[in-house]
């Protein structure tokens, strides 16, 4: 279940960017992103399905697209995988549906959840929010860099994705604490005219 996790893992947000998922993917890919998560918390299922389908149809062969929360949509569209939260269906169930080759990641927000996630059939574990974030409604408590270091130790070689308030400025400290990759929303998307440029800049510092 090894897979090559890039250093920057952008997540789409239609409210913040004002753009469809497909258009965000296009801009992120033109900036060099190779793994992108489509995250939709508001739109109707049918609308998200159509937008995700458009993103997947135009996907490059070197780009992998992961669907947040919705294993059904990932399965129906043959996406590259699914990203599950603590209240989504169990990882084992998603693995049964999507198969061995799917990329499955899980969100964790404290070290007990990291311990459990480390024993699940996942390809990576996301941990955060590492810093304050304005992007997620009702975010979990900030975990900080010390807990991130502990998460690294718990997971040994399992890929660790840090999330929450990560910017070009603080990313070096996040990598130094042991993250393999950083998942980011606002820092790449808040200026929609600069998505490709900011992605390129971010990739350069990693
Ligand atoms: N999960 C934990 S923090 C977060 C999610 C989805 C939001 C991250 O967004 P940003 O803008 O990179 O802080
Ligand atoms: Mg979720």
């Amino acid at each position: 279940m090894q897979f090559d996790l890039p250093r920057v893992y952008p997540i789409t947000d239609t409210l913040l960017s004002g753009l469809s998922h497909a258009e965000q993917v296009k801009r992120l890919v033109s900036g060099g992103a190779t793994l992108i998560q489509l995250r939709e918390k508001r739109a109707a299922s049918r609308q998200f399905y159509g937008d995700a389908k458009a993103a997947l149809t135009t996907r490059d062969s070197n780009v992998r697209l992961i669907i947040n929360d919705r294993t059904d949509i990932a399965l129906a569209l043959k996406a590259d995988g699914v990203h599950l939260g603590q209240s989504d269906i169990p990882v084992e169930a998603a693995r049964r549906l999507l198969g061995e080759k799917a990329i499955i990641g899980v969100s964790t927000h404290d070290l007990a959840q990291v311990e459990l996630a480390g024993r699940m059939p996942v390809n990576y574990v996301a941990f955060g929010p590492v810093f304050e974030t304005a992007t997620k409604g009702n975010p979990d408590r900030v975990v900080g860099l010390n807990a991130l270091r502990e998460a690294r130790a718990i997971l040994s070689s399992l890929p660790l994705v840090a999330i929450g308030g990560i910017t070009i400025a603080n990313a070096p400290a996040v990598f130094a604490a042991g993250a393999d990759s950083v998942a980011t929303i606002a820092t790449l998307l808040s200026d929609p005219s600069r998505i490709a440029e900011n992605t390129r800049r971010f990739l350069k510092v990693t």
Side-chain angles (χ1 to χ4, degrees):
M1 270 195 288
Q2 280 305 99
F3 91 111
D4 195 18
L5 180 68
R7 299 286 269 176
V8 179
Y9 180 10
I11 302 174
T12 57
D13 187 316
T14 49
L15 190 69
L16 190 67
S17 64
L19 302 170
S20 68
H21 294 284
E23 182 59 31
Q24 292 172 77
V25 166
K26 201 168 131 197
R27 295 182 191 196
L28 290 162
V29 168
S30 84
T34 54
L35 179 72
I36 300 169
Q37 184 185 133
L38 307 188
R39 181 173 182 268
E40 180 54 69
K41 296 295 187 185
R42 285 162 294 268
S45 298
R46 182 78 63 94
Q47 192 184 333
F48 183 38
Y49 176 89
D51 192 357
K53 186 175 182 183
L56 282 152
T57 310
T58 54
R59 155 186 59 166
D60 272 33
S61 58
N62 65 332
V63 174
R64 279 148 319 156
L65 298 182
I66 308 297
I67 306 288
N68 180 276
D69 293 348
R70 300 292 301 266
T71 303
D72 55 343
I73 292 179
L75 181 64
L77 292 175
K78 300 187 172 66
D80 296 286
V82 71
H83 182 93
L84 299 169
Q86 290 289 321
S87 44
D88 295 319
I89 67 166
V91 166
E92 291 79 1
R95 178 64 71 196
R96 278 198 299 277
L97 288 169
L98 300 180
E100 278 310 302
K101 286 190 184 142
I103 298 168
I104 300 183
V106 65
S107 282
T108 61
H109 311 292
D110 61 44
L111 295 171
Q113 291 175 358
V114 172
E115 285 266 12
L116 289 172
R119 286 184 249 127
M120 294 174 187
V122 290
N123 301 90
Y124 68 84
V125 174
F127 185 54
V130 176
F131 305 113
E132 295 287 342
T133 176
T135 309
K136 192 178 185 181
N138 194 20
D140 293 270
R141 270 239 309 267
V142 166
V143 295
L145 290 172
N146 286 336
L148 183 63
R149 250 173 242 118
E150 289 182 54
R152 168 76 288 155
I154 290 167
L155 294 173
S156 56
S157 65
L158 191 61
L160 171 61
V161 175
I163 184 164
I166 299 171
T167 62
I168 290 178
N170 64 30
V174 175
F175 288 120
D180 297 299
S181 175
V182 296
T184 64
I185 302 178
T187 211
L188 297 178
L189 300 181
S190 51
D191 181 349
S193 68
R194 294 208 165 142
I195 292 174
E197 178 190 333
N198 286 334
T199 305
R200 225 172 283 121
R201 279 180 56 223
F202 209 142
L203 282 163
K204 239 180 234 162
V205 304
T206 64

